[in-house]
Amino acid sequence: MIRILLRYLVLFSLTFLTLSALSFSLVYLFPTEPVTTLTGITPQNLVQHEALVTQYHLDDSYLVQFAHYLGDLFNGNWGVSLFSGEPLLDEIMLALPATIELSAYAMSIVLVVGIPLGCYSGLKAYTGSDYTINSVSVVVNSVPVVWLAVIFILTFSLQFGWLPLSGRINLLFDIPSQTGFLFIDILLTDNIDTARALKDAFLHLILPTLAIAFISTAALVRITRRSVIDVLNQPYIIAARAKGLSSRQIFFRHVLRNALLPALPLLAMQITTLITNAMIVETLFSWPGIGSWLIQAIYQRDYSALRMGMLAVSTLVVMITIAIDLFNRLIDPSREKYESVTI
Amino acid sequence: MPLLDIKNLTLEIDTGTQSIKALDKINLTVNSGEIRALVGESGSGKSLIVQAIAGATPPNWTITADRMSWSGNNLLSMSEQQRRQILRKDIGVVFQNALASLDPSVTLGEQLEESLPDQLVEGNWFWQRKQNRRKVVVSTVHKVGIKDHEHYLRAYPHQIPTDIGQKLMLAMALISQPKMLIADDPTRGMETTTKVQVLKLLSRLNQTRSLGILFVSHDLLAIASMSDTMTVLYCGQTVESGKMKNIRKRPLHPYTKALLDSAPSFTKDLPPKSELPTLAGTIPTLQHLPIGCRLGPRCPRAQRDCVNVPAVRKIHDHSYSCHFPLHRDKS
């Protein structure tokens, strides 16, 4: 057990090292001065330039620079934004939770809808309802998320006016950011109408969450369906039938677990798609998450922000992927204890 | 009344382009307390019969039969629920591929407990029942010849050797104290000592509990010593069926004779270094079944009439289907 955890920890550290090396290389690859990209400060005169170069060890060899770069990363000294001048750590810590929140809600919808629907479709394989579910999911999966989000806005916000157009919550509510997760922050804030704030936040959440969830649900339905069909053809299901178990017992005791175990790694791959989609949708709904933050940084040529944003997002994705694989390893008895880890 | 009575069982597999008669008018009965051997070479449809009886059939199979009854009740017309109850209480099935027939994500102990019907568990409270269930499982596992139950009941299917898997399948089939056991090659690939243990267990259960056994195998030597009656299958057709000793002494069907001859210990006076008798050719694949008597192309006695399916003929309780049977030329 500890051994497995250690292996995953080593894998994560190595991946993180590679990612930070990549982000460090951006310091030299971006078309500005390395000092500017690294610190986010444009030196006004030679003296300041000299001071920054010595502070960040830019005179030393690349390896020494990289070592100091890593040290700065862990100390929270991520540099400042080229554009706003705010420390990047603070900005990312404000934006990232908003994205995580959005993706988490979308993910739970995906799981709650996708798995039962996929199982149903798999159990009724090659019947009318299966074909319907399957073809709808193929169509939905091929829809670009941008288009879907725009259609949602057009219909539900502009045409009917049921749901708000953009943002996380009405600006009238003044919620100070404490954890970065809006619902927790609302509950922590004292002098507001909590119930109305929660309702408002919820209404703001519906459209972006659905836009993201739709596409990933479609993918998950098909993954689960395939997996269930495969399991149903296994000899042990025939054997379970011959034992005289009812279809219900067979499904819950033998089909479900065996179908979901191989589906889990595929789900991990879907999560990266989901986060990417979330970042696109954020921009459309002016959701103050890491996606719209990064796209702004691109518009403004905010090189230091791009560098750190890329590192933060990729680290998050790697963390989730490894966590899912670890989870899968822990619950799947057929995986060998000493099998090497992979992402 | 026989336990299991099957008359003219036909199984058609729809491959999408054509429909193949994988089993053609199979007749089979198993009486209470009888050991019936079902023999035939690989591809003759033995396992298909087992699956058809167990009711575990894929949607592209069509099963038709004039009669397929379990102690008088028609298996084909009864409800799913009734049929399940029969499988749960009265019939134990051992499938051919033991390790694949065990759920890879559940421990073997749990799978055994699952096969145990609730009626057989004593105790009123759940902890008593749990204890009792455990006790029954352990004793059944000991009975089939697994000593280290602590280890194997906690293991997952991929962690155990094949012969343990086969024994566990047997334990799973026997734990519900069935009236009949359908064993599809339960001793395949076992070493001789283990095999003898399993066969002894089966004959003992047959004698003490009058367990009816349908023993599917191609191991003639194992079968000959323990079974009372035998049904020979070739390519989805029953070729001969009757008392073991009658068939051994006087096989009427050329295929049965060839089968018996090919087992060296049955042919007593085999000179040293002589060629072993075999039937030329191989069993045809399901896609290329010959018409009429399916043995036709390989049969040493085939004549023009063999393009028609021979009718089942009966002499006492010995039935065969052949136009030109052995030993009956004079009549």
Side-chain angles (χ1 to χ4, degrees):
Chain A
M1 180 66 209
I2 289 171
R3 218 185 155 114
I4 295 177
L5 283 179
L6 265 177
R7 276 169 182 247
Y8 278 87
L9 208 65
V10 168
L11 175 72
F12 175 70
S13 329
L14 287 179
T15 321
F16 179 73
L17 211 63
T18 320
L19 285 175
S20 47
L22 272 175
S23 96
F24 174 69
S25 70
L26 287 181
V27 170
Y28 286 93
L29 294 177
F30 275 142
T32 41
E33 268 207 80
V35 182
T36 317
T37 326
L38 189 58
T39 59
I41 303 164
T42 321
Q44 301 301 323
N45 48 45
L46 268 178
V47 180
Q48 198 188 359
H49 187 270
E50 281 303 306
L52 283 173
V53 165
T54 8
Q55 192 195 338
Y56 286 90
H57 302 268
L58 287 180
D59 286 340
D60 295 320
S61 71
Y62 287 129
L63 268 180
V64 176
Q65 284 180 41
F66 182 54
H68 282 281
Y69 181 74
L70 280 179
D72 280 345
L73 276 183
F74 285 111
N75 291 333
N77 180 14
W78 291 8
V80 296
S81 160
L82 206 57
F83 187 72
S84 68
E86 295 286 320
L88 285 172
L89 180 64
D90 295 352
E91 289 212 339
I92 289 178
M93 280 307 146
L94 213 61
L96 204 54
T99 304
I100 294 176
E101 198 179 19
L102 189 63
S103 319
Y105 297 139
M107 197 63 220
S108 30
I109 291 186
V110 169
L111 290 178
V112 168
V113 178
I115 289 176
L117 216 57
C119 287
Y120 178 79
S121 184
L123 288 175
K124 304 261 174 218
Y126 311 116
T127 61
S129 47
D130 171 43
Y131 285 133
T132 318
I133 293 175
N134 208 10
S135 34
V136 168
S137 78
V138 170
V139 170
V140 172
N141 201 18
S142 339
V143 167
V145 68
V146 192
W147 182 82
L148 191 69
V150 169
I151 293 294
F152 274 5
I153 291 177
L154 272 177
T155 342
F156 297 107
S157 306
L158 299 179
Q159 185 72 32
F160 298 115
W162 291 340
L163 294 168
L165 186 64
S166 67
R168 285 175 99 179
I169 191 163
N170 199 316
L171 292 175
L172 293 175
F173 295 103
D174 180 28
I175 313 286
S177 168
Q178 293 174 43
T179 58
F181 297 98
L182 188 63
F183 281 97
I184 302 173
D185 282 346
I186 290 176
L187 293 175
L188 289 176
T189 310
D190 291 328
N191 44 19
I192 52 160
D193 187 346
T194 313
R196 288 181 70 176
L198 284 177
K199 189 180 166 228
D200 194 60
F202 178 71
L203 288 179
H204 276 84
L205 196 63
I206 293 176
L207 282 189
T209 313
L210 282 185
I212 304 165
F214 249 69
I215 289 162
S216 294
T217 308
L220 184 64
V221 165
R222 287 186 305 129
I223 292 171
T224 318
R225 170 181 179 271
R226 190 68 256 158
S227 199
V228 167
I229 292 178
D230 282 347
V231 169
L232 283 178
N233 289 329
Q234 295 294 319
Y236 54 82
I237 298 299
I238 295 178
R241 271 209 190 107
K243 272 185 201 172
L245 301 178
S246 69
S247 337
R248 215 186 135 77
Q249 284 170 319
I250 290 175
F251 177 73
F252 283 108
R253 289 193 198 160
H254 298 295
V255 177
L256 195 59
R257 186 160 13 166
N258 287 307
L260 290 187
L261 282 177
L264 210 57
L266 296 174
L267 181 68
M269 283 166 143
Q270 280 301 314
I271 286 182
T272 51
T273 322
L274 186 130
I275 292 179
T276 320
N277 282 346
M279 289 165 65
I280 297 168
V281 167
E282 274 168 15
T283 320
L284 289 168
F285 284 95
S286 319
W287 188 272
I290 193 87
S292 48
W293 184 78
L294 268 178
I295 286 177
Q296 260 172 29
I298 291 173
Y299 282 143
Q300 295 159 349
R301 310 247 162 100
D302 191 342
Y303 294 118
S304 56
L306 277 178
R307 179 173 54 82
M308 279 323 296
M310 166 244 148
L311 184 60
V313 172
S314 50
T315 309
L316 180 73
V317 169
V318 168
M319 255 160 73
I320 293 174
T321 318
I322 290 183
I324 288 183
D325 195 54
L326 175 65
F327 178 64
N328 188 9
R329 161 72 66 93
L330 293 181
I331 60 168
D332 187 351
S334 65
R335 282 181 68 177
E336 287 298 329
K337 267 202 188 95
Y338 301 109
E339 179 188 319
S340 61
V341 291
T342 44
I343 22 174
Chain B
M1 187 187 295
L3 272 182
L4 182 74
D5 188 4
I6 296 176
K7 189 158 193 232
N8 288 346
L9 171 73
T10 302
L11 173 81
E12 277 170 285
I13 300 179
D14 184 12
T15 57
T17 48
Q18 53 173 339
S19 132
I20 295 166
K21 257 192 197 169
L23 295 178
D24 189 13
K25 297 192 174 159
I26 298 290
N27 296 314
L28 187 71
T29 55
V30 181
N31 291 312
S32 180
E34 176 192 39
I35 302 184
R36 155 93 48 183
L38 185 62
V39 292
E41 52 195 298
S42 320
S44 56
K46 301 178 306 248
S47 299
L48 294 180
I49 295 185
V50 173
Q51 284 200 30
I53 299 171
T57 49
N60 60 341
W61 291 16
T62 338
I63 293 175
T64 45
D66 289 351
R67 187 165 66 225
M68 186 164 164
S69 61
W70 171 257
S71 48
N73 305 314
N74 189 343
L75 277 171
L76 289 177
S77 65
M78 69 175 53
S79 72
E80 186 107 334
Q81 173 80 18
Q82 282 170 312
R83 187 159 185 180
R84 230 181 55 218
Q85 284 306 322
I86 288 178
L87 279 171
R88 185 127 186 90
K89 283 196 223 128
D90 297 341
I91 304 183
V93 188
V94 177
F95 284 99
Q96 198 171 34
N97 192 348
L99 288 185
S101 302
L102 295 165
D103 186 332
S105 67
V106 182
T107 60
L108 297 165
E110 282 174 57
Q111 296 193 48
L112 263 170
E113 284 180 21
E114 181 185 75
S115 315
L116 181 64
D118 285 339
Q119 299 90 321
L120 296 179
V121 187
E122 290 163 16
N124 294 321
W125 297 93
F126 67 90
W127 60 87
Q128 292 171 329
R129 293 179 73 81
K130 196 177 166 196
Q131 248 176 1
N132 189 255
R133 196 171 268 142
R134 171 89 189 162
K135 219 175 77 193
V136 177
V137 165
V138 170
S139 76
T140 316
V141 167
H142 285 171
K143 212 181 280 173
V144 295
I146 299 173
K147 292 199 183 70
D148 190 2
H149 65 266
E150 286 287 336
H151 175 245
Y152 286 119
L153 288 183
R154 253 186 288 123
Y156 289 95
H158 71 279
Q159 295 165 330
I160 58 167
T162 320
D163 62 326
I164 298 285
Q166 286 168 311
K167 286 179 183 173
L168 274 162
M169 274 306 281
L170 196 61
M172 246 174 241
L174 292 174
I175 201 168
S176 57
Q177 303 187 357
K179 292 189 184 123
M180 188 178 87
L181 176 75
I182 301 173
D184 191 352
D185 219 349
T187 56
R188 150 193 277 209
M190 278 189 182
E191 50 182 295
T192 325
T193 44
T194 331
K195 189 161 81 184
V196 171
Q197 281 174 4
V198 171
L199 295 180
K200 263 188 184 160
L201 168 75
L202 290 183
S203 1
R204 199 170 61 236
L205 285 172
N206 170 253
Q207 282 152 16
T208 54
R209 270 206 240 146
S210 81
L211 174 77
I213 300 178
L214 178 64
F215 195 95
V216 183
S217 178
H218 39 225
D219 186 355
L220 275 172
L221 292 175
I223 283 179
S225 57
M226 65 181 281
S227 49
D228 314 314
T229 51
M230 174 154 98
T231 297
V232 183
L233 214 61
Y234 179 79
C235 216
Q237 288 176 328
T238 18
V239 296
E240 188 164 4
S241 125
K243 286 241 162 61
M244 189 74 200
K245 62 173 195 284
N246 293 349
I247 292 184
R248 264 179 73 177
K249 206 164 72 190
R250 246 171 151 227
L252 294 176
H253 198 283
Y255 180 69
T256 318
K257 185 171 180 345
L259 198 67
L260 293 174
D261 284 348
S262 67
S265 63
F266 286 118
T267 45
K268 282 153 204 129
D269 40 0
L270 197 66
K273 296 194 180 175
S274 64
E275 207 171 300
L276 292 171
T278 51
L279 205 58
T282 52
I283 194 162
T285 58
L286 281 178
Q287 284 79 21
H288 301 99
L289 292 175
I291 55 162
C293 173
R294 288 181 179 174
L295 185 63
R298 292 175 75 187
C299 185
R301 297 167 67 84
Q303 296 179 31
R304 185 183 285 171
D305 289 347
C306 292
V307 295
N308 299 318
V309 180
V312 181
R313 276 179 261 179
K314 248 186 159 172
I315 307 164
H316 304 298
D317 50 0
H318 190 156
S319 64
Y320 63 96
S321 40
C322 183
H323 294 292
F324 309 103
L326 304 158
H327 303 298
R328 315 247 350 133
D329 293 337
K330 276 161 252 160
S331 61

